[in-house]
Amino acid sequence: MANGKALKLWTVNVISFVLFVILCGTGLINWLVLPRGYQARGNFLVSLRHFFITLHEWVGVVFIVLIIIHIVMHWAYIKSNLKKYGLMK
Ligand code: HEM
């Protein structure tokens, strides 16, 4: 693989991993740790929850875009495998 492409792919992969860790963190903390609705009654944790939801959603959008870029960058490899296993002409 050309060096420039390898560096781009590496960058996409590292950023994807960091975003994945943020998604896991914000998703699991909101689900399992922070109080919901009435339980929290207007304290700081509600704001934190809202912040995490927004962060989770936007990081999710960027993550999806990076995964699409990742797939596009591997498209030749994916296509050759699909052909090899008879899933594509
Ligand atoms: C493309 C990636 C992802 C997208 C687009 C996405 C999107 C969302 C959305 C829209 C919600 C609902 C948030 C709300 O309450 O309004 C949610 C909740 C949640 N997500 Fe994700 N997510 C992604 C990846 C992940 C990953 C990798 C994890 C790994 C642990 C995760 C764990 C959770 C959990 C546990 C909840 C529930 C939070 C709660 O019950 O309060 N998500 N996600």
Side-chain angles (χ1 to χ4, degrees):
M1 196 184 298
N3 230 358
K5 189 179 175 191
L7 179 63
K8 269 187 210 145
L9 196 49
W10 170 253
T11 309
V12 168
N13 290 350
V14 170
I15 298 173
S16 303
F17 177 71
V18 171
L19 298 187
F20 177 70
V21 171
I22 295 173
L23 282 170
C24 295
T26 51
L28 292 175
I29 289 170
N30 259 353
W31 178 36
L32 299 171
V33 180
L34 294 179
R36 291 164 193 271
Y38 180 68
Q39 271 180 311
R41 269 173 282 183
N43 76 37
F44 158 77
L45 296 179
V46 178
S47 311
L48 190 61
R49 180 177 186 78
H50 288 178
F51 172 69
F52 277 173
I53 289 173
T54 306
L55 189 63
H56 191 81
E57 288 169 347
W58 282 107
V59 170
V61 170
V62 180
F63 184 70
I64 291 170
V65 171
L66 284 182
I67 295 305
I68 291 168
I69 293 173
H70 178 99
I71 290 170
V72 168
M73 294 185 84
H74 279 303
W75 190 240
Y77 171 79
I78 294 169
K79 219 166 63 182
S80 82
N81 265 332
L82 288 174
K83 280 182 185 160
K84 189 161 103 190
Y85 298 116
L87 297 164
M88 193 183 189
K89 277 197 176 180

